[in-house]
Amino acid sequence: MSVDTEADAAASGQGVKPARIAISGAGKRYGDLQVFQDINLEFNEREIVTVVGPSGCGKTTLLRCIDGLMPVSDGEVRIEGDLMTQPREGVAMVFQHFGLFPWKTVTQNVGYGLKLAGVSRAEIDEKVPYFVKLVGLEGFESVYPYQLSGGMQQRCGLARALAMEPSVLLMDEPFAAVDAQTREILQFELLRIWEMRPMTMVFVTHSIEEAVLMGDRVVVLKGRPSSVFETIDVDLPAPRDRSTLAHPRFAELREHVWATLMDEVRAAEFDVR
Amino acid sequence: MNSLWDSRPIRFSTYAAGLLIGAVLWEYFGGKVNPSYGAPLSATAKRFIFLVSNGQLQDAVLGSLQLYFVGFISAVLAASLFGLLMSRLNYLRVGFENYIMLLYATPMIAMVPFIKSVLEIGFAAKFTVVFLFGFFPVLYNTLEGARSVKPEMVEVAKSFRSGEFALWRDLLIPHTVPFILTGIRQGAGRALVGVVAAEFLISSSGLGGLIQDQQGKYSMSGVFASITVLTAMGLLLMWIGRVLENRMAAWRGLNR
């Protein structure tokens, strides 16, 4: 894994663009509890990086630090050069708990971010149907979240984030709360949408299989406090689809990540904390 | 067991029978007692028509309604705004929490003599009584509601770069409105008690004043007629409260 600082990138020539997201020396502490430490990562313009690790390893916390929802205790997170101390334009997040407003219809939920960004009514009315359709929620425009299944609620959450046309999309275990079949469908749909409009996607997941399937790179967090144990380049053919799951290389990579995490998982299982 | 009550005619006739028995008992026993202790239904109805025909009842109802709505609407607005502010400003919440619990627990009627001696006889004193009767139930429920806004949802709003104003508009107020309505439903009855208490104890006016006036004339039928009107007002207010709450039920309760 290469860790370029901005200065290095600049020195190495004008052909190399600085990474879209640069995390250097990042650590997070809550009082005495060190969640993660010394994290150095760079995410490029068109790539999906998955972050995998056992429960409680701080992967969601790391994602919140990238979004600027909470500050890092040490080091820094930069997106397109800007120090992340608060949420920034061009960065959108999809939440594990969906985070939809129960009193807003699908249309209103999808238009939420645009409205906050001061986009005109006319433009919102034009954009929202496109993204509703993109995620397959056509016909459900005026429905409230409680009338939707979990999978459809997350489609709505995804459309809300995509409507911001972000250059960075942060996914916080987005499919952890939906059933297995729906999860698989959503994974491939997300990949299809990403192919249409690639951006930097940081995808946090608990599932090793999902991490390998979705990621161009897989970042493995490990340890207590956690840090980056390994970054794996996923050399699976694109586009990824159902056949990818049957690819021998997929099985190899999955076993590799699994073996890497196994000690940790085993330790966590007997962790009485 | 339940099947008997699924039948509409049976339910309806039992319902009607209950009311009829009540009316007959009122008529019978009301006519037996000394007229200075009670009055039968028929005399109450006659007195009601009389009080309407000379305009006394309408004046009393208007006076009480005016006091009620001015006092209670002010209380609802003040309590919900203050409750929402308290939920966002910790020093306000921590600083005032104890006082709110104390005042919520205090029977407001005990404050009436104090209010009377400070504000003297007049609309301001009566307004204050009604306001205080209605204020605390609404404030208490608003606080409960605003406090139950999920931190995850605040985080969603922050992530989409919501400002404080938009946070109130999109999250805090819509989330809290059903709780405010519960407060309104609880406070509506109390504020009506406040109206009668103010009209009894500050200075005689409205329906409370009419009850005192009729009692002074030894007309129990007039007292009962006034009480019946107050009952009708109470029922109407409860009904309005329920309709408002139900309108919010579309997404409430079923939501995670």
Side-chain angles (χ1 to χ4, degrees):
Chain A
M1 188 190 72
S2 74
V3 182
D4 292 358
T5 64
E6 264 181 280
D8 288 341
S12 66
Q14 46 292 69
V16 183
K17 281 194 185 173
R20 187 162 264 161
I21 306 177
I23 304 169
S24 46
K28 180 70 187 173
R29 253 189 329 269
Y30 292 114
D32 288 337
L33 178 72
Q34 183 86 38
V35 184
F36 56 77
Q37 64 185 13
D38 195 33
I39 292 194
N40 298 286
L41 285 168
E42 294 205 339
F43 304 135
N44 301 319
E45 244 173 67
R46 290 158 154 258
E47 70 171 342
I48 303 178
V49 181
T50 51
V51 180
V52 68
S55 340
C57 76
K59 48 194 191 299
T60 290
T61 306
L62 176 63
L63 202 68
R64 275 164 174 64
C65 291
I66 296 174
D67 195 31
L69 284 170
M70 50 173 72
V72 285
S73 315
D74 307 296
E76 58 177 42
V77 176
R78 284 179 189 271
I79 294 184
E80 286 166 350
D82 292 348
L83 202 60
M84 293 303 286
T85 51
Q86 57 184 14
R88 178 186 185 280
E89 215 183 330
V91 182
M93 188 149 164
V94 175
F95 299 84
Q96 181 180 354
H97 54 79
F98 316 140
L100 302 177
F101 296 96
W103 45 83
K104 288 183 190 284
T105 61
V106 165
T107 296
Q108 290 167 338
N109 268 298
V110 173
Y112 172 68
L114 294 172
K115 188 169 137 196
L116 286 182
V119 176
S120 75
R121 189 74 264 162
E123 206 178 324
I124 293 176
D125 289 346
E126 192 193 310
K127 276 187 175 177
V128 167
Y130 171 79
F131 288 100
V132 168
K133 191 177 170 202
L134 185 69
V135 299
L137 278 178
E138 247 179 325
F140 294 93
E141 288 83 354
S142 45
V143 148
Y144 290 93
Y146 78 90
Q147 297 168 291
L148 297 173
S149 68
M152 287 168 97
Q153 289 190 39
Q154 193 57 300
R155 284 170 190 267
C156 184
L158 180 63
R160 176 176 65 182
L162 290 171
M164 303 305 290
E165 296 174 84
S167 52
V168 173
L169 186 60
L170 304 175
M171 308 286 277
D172 177 25
E173 302 200 44
F175 308 139
V178 299
D179 64 84
Q181 287 89 339
T182 309
R183 178 178 198 154
E184 207 168 278
I185 293 165
L186 289 174
Q187 285 167 345
F188 293 119
E189 275 198 47
L190 179 61
L191 286 171
R192 172 186 65 85
I193 291 169
W194 187 85
E195 292 289 341
M196 287 166 61
R197 200 183 157 283
M199 80 291 268
T200 306
M201 192 194 299
V202 184
F203 192 112
V204 162
T205 178
H206 186 72
S207 153
I208 292 166
E209 196 148 312
E210 186 169 69
V212 175
L213 175 69
M214 306 289 290
D216 296 316
R217 286 189 292 153
V218 178
V219 172
V220 180
L221 289 186
K222 198 174 152 175
R224 269 171 201 265
S226 66
S227 51
V228 177
F229 181 78
E230 194 182 5
T231 300
I232 300 150
D233 286 312
V234 180
D235 45 359
L236 284 166
R240 312 239 175 114
D241 50 32
R242 271 201 66 83
S243 69
T244 310
L245 295 169
H247 202 285
R249 183 70 183 137
F250 176 79
E252 256 174 59
L253 286 164
R254 188 188 59 202
E255 288 313 301
H256 175 78
V257 176
W258 191 80
T260 308
L261 283 171
M262 198 183 62
D263 313 337
E264 184 86 1
V265 171
R266 203 174 266 164
E269 214 170 309
F270 294 102
D271 195 343
V272 286
R273 255 192 295 186
Chain B
M1 190 62 196
N2 281 333
S3 57
L4 182 66
W5 301 108
D6 289 341
S7 146
R8 229 166 216 281
I10 288 180
R11 256 202 354 236
F12 182 77
S13 44
T14 310
Y15 189 70
L19 284 178
L20 190 69
I21 289 169
V24 167
L25 288 176
W26 182 2
E27 185 63 29
Y28 179 74
F29 288 105
K32 284 230 146 188
V33 298
N34 183 328
S36 49
Y37 299 144
L41 176 59
S42 55
T44 304
K46 253 164 80 184
R47 189 70 182 173
F48 178 87
I49 291 164
F50 169 75
L51 288 172
V52 171
S53 68
N54 74 7
Q56 246 185 307
L57 192 63
Q58 292 93 311
D59 286 350
V61 168
L62 278 178
S64 290
L65 278 180
Q66 194 194 6
L67 177 60
Y68 181 85
F69 280 109
V70 174
F72 188 48
I73 290 174
S74 314
V76 168
L77 292 177
S80 39
L81 182 66
F82 190 57
L84 289 167
L85 270 176
M86 275 179 77
S87 76
R88 295 297 296 161
L89 300 169
N90 277 329
Y91 56 87
L92 212 59
R93 186 171 56 79
V94 177
F96 276 100
E97 221 162 26
N98 290 322
Y99 293 108
I100 286 161
M101 277 315 294
L102 286 175
L103 284 168
Y104 188 57
T106 307
M108 275 304 140
I109 198 142
M111 306 286 277
V112 176
F114 165 69
I115 293 163
K116 189 176 180 179
S117 55
V118 173
L119 294 171
E120 302 187 345
I121 296 163
F123 189 77
K126 290 184 199 173
F127 168 84
T128 307
V129 171
V130 178
F131 182 91
L132 286 177
F133 268 77
F135 183 76
F136 288 97
V138 179
L139 178 62
Y140 189 79
N141 281 284
T142 306
L143 275 175
E144 282 288 303
R147 226 197 308 246
S148 68
V149 170
K150 290 205 179 90
E152 300 103 90
M153 289 308 294
V154 177
E155 200 175 60
V156 170
K158 290 258 165 71
S159 177
F160 282 94
R161 295 158 47 82
S162 174
E164 186 67 20
F165 172 78
L167 186 77
W168 281 55
R169 182 194 60 198
D170 296 319
L171 179 58
L172 194 55
I173 292 175
H175 175 90
T176 311
V177 160
F179 293 87
I180 295 177
L181 286 174
T182 303
I184 289 176
R185 209 166 39 74
Q186 288 174 9
R190 288 207 190 192
L192 193 60
V193 176
V195 166
V196 179
E199 289 169 346
F200 278 171
L201 301 171
I202 305 278
S203 69
S204 197
S205 71
L207 282 165
L210 186 61
I211 290 174
Q212 285 179 321
D213 171 67
Q214 295 299 303
Q215 190 199 19
K217 291 172 177 158
Y218 303 105
S219 168
M220 273 304 124
S221 55
V223 170
F224 283 167
S226 313
I227 293 172
T228 311
V229 173
L230 277 169
T231 305
M233 278 172 67
L235 284 173
L236 186 72
L237 292 166
M238 274 165 65
W239 177 77
I240 293 173
R242 195 163 322 138
V243 168
L244 284 175
E245 267 194 313
N246 285 347
R247 288 199 66 178
M248 295 288 150
W251 48 262
R252 198 193 173 195
L254 292 152
N255 168 51
R256 301 185 312 138

